[in-house]
């Protein structure tokens, strides 16, 4: 299992939700965003739409599975300024 903390306010243009979901779905590993006791599945549109909290500056991504390193790298690139 790998974790990555992302500062979403470094980018001037927000990432479209569909782009993030489609990118996550390209990988076999499970990808979640954690907010303390709440966990949102990045691959599930409904969970992302209802549960994604963008008021927080930082998102904690968790990757778990066979291609977690590749998924972490690709999603990390999406959030680069």
């Amino acid at each position: 299992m790998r974790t990555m903390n992302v500062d979403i306010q470094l980018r001037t243009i927000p990432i479209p939700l569909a782009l993030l979901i489609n990118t996550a779905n390209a990988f076999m590993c499970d990808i979640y965003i954690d907010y303390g006791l709440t966990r949102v599945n990045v691959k599930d549109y409904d969970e992302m739409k209802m549960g994604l909290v963008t008021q927080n500056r930082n998102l904690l991504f968790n990757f778990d599975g066979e291609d977690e390193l590749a998924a972490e790298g690709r999603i990390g690139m999406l959030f680069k300024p």
Side-chain angles (χ1 to χ4, degrees):
M1 177 177 228
R2 302 183 61 82
T3 61
M4 175 178 61
N5 196 358
V6 175
D7 184 348
I8 62 173
Q9 293 183 354
L10 290 178
R11 289 183 50 93
T12 54
I13 300 171
I15 296 171
L17 189 60
L19 176 61
L20 182 57
I21 293 168
N22 286 337
T23 302
N25 279 315
F27 298 96
M28 296 299 294
C29 65
D30 295 327
I31 305 172
Y32 294 94
I33 299 173
D34 284 333
Y35 305 103
L37 299 175
T38 304
R39 183 173 234 199
V40 178
N41 183 351
V42 178
K43 295 181 176 187
D44 186 316
Y45 177 79
D46 291 331
E47 279 191 44
M48 290 290 286
K49 184 98 170 136
M50 301 295 274
L52 184 62
V53 178
T54 56
Q55 289 84 3
N56 297 338
R57 183 179 179 103
N58 294 311
L59 299 178
L60 181 62
F61 282 84
N62 289 301
F63 304 88
D64 190 19
E66 63 185 66
D67 56 356
E68 60 192 27
L69 185 61
E72 178 184 12
R74 180 65 183 113
I75 288 181
M77 285 183 9
L78 289 178
F79 286 97
K80 288 197 180 211

